Amino acid sequence: MRETIRNLVNWWRPQDGEKITVVAIAPDGRDKQALSSFSVHGQWDLALAGSCEEALELLKNTRAAVILCDRDLPGIDWRDALQLLAASRPDCSIILASSVNDEYLWDEVIHKGGYDVLAKPLQEEQTVRAVNLAWSYSKERTRD
């Protein structure tokens, strides 16, 4: 099973030195540390933000393809954050990281402009796979 997942992750992995630019809104220090570690294996250029406001500033100067947003953000409800992020960068795929994970949440994320929901605590294989798939989706969307 582990090898099958790894092969799937490699299928959508950037090739020839290409990197995925990811902006991650992670107020939790453990998540920041994990994402920094994952970024090496996922071939990402990672920009970390501690709040939605900080991420919006980063996005003004960053050609991010993927935004990874924690559900528990300081000062703003995740629904409002997703709408702001989606409006500011409609070309990005937004993934919500949440310890609550069900079909209702996934449906709500999609309706607010998001791409997917990622279960917390963050696991390397699932996180790299989700970001790579979101990047692939963003790349195809901008090609059309």
Side-chain angles (χ1 to χ4, degrees):
M1 176 71 167
R2 188 175 193 94
E3 190 61 32
T4 302
I5 292 171
R6 191 166 305 281
N7 289 339
L8 182 63
V9 167
N10 288 334
W11 176 261
W12 286 286
R13 181 164 287 182
Q15 302 298 314
D16 302 324
E18 187 175 21
K19 288 195 170 223
I20 301 171
T21 303
V22 178
V23 170
I25 309 167
D28 184 308
R30 289 172 295 184
D31 289 341
K32 286 180 182 179
Q33 192 172 27
L35 290 168
S36 293
S37 170
F38 301 166
S39 70
V40 173
H41 298 105
Q43 300 177 342
W44 310 339
D45 280 329
L46 179 66
L48 291 168
S51 67
C52 183
E53 185 176 276
E54 189 179 332
L56 289 168
E57 283 300 313
L58 276 173
L59 288 167
K60 289 179 183 177
N61 302 313
T62 306
R63 300 266 324 145
V66 178
I67 301 169
L68 183 60
C69 180
D70 195 285
R71 183 176 183 266
D72 300 319
L73 296 172
I76 190 169
D77 183 74
W78 68 267
R79 294 166 193 88
D80 296 331
L82 253 61
Q83 287 181 306
L84 285 171
L85 293 165
S88 74
R89 291 299 299 274
D91 56 330
C92 287
S93 293
I94 305 169
I95 301 169
L96 183 75
S98 174
S99 55
V100 175
N101 199 344
D102 58 24
E103 281 188 40
Y104 176 76
L105 177 64
W106 186 85
D107 188 52
E108 198 169 3
V109 165
I110 299 304
H111 283 22
K112 298 291 182 191
Y115 171 77
D116 202 358
V117 176
L118 185 61
K120 284 183 71 175
L122 298 174
Q123 302 295 315
E124 183 175 6
E125 287 186 21
Q126 290 83 357
T127 304
V128 170
R129 177 185 52 81
V131 168
N132 287 354
L133 288 170
W135 167 76
S136 179
Y137 177 74
S138 288
K139 191 173 171 181
E140 288 299 316
R141 248 188 1 199
T142 56
R143 204 181 290 183
D144 294 340

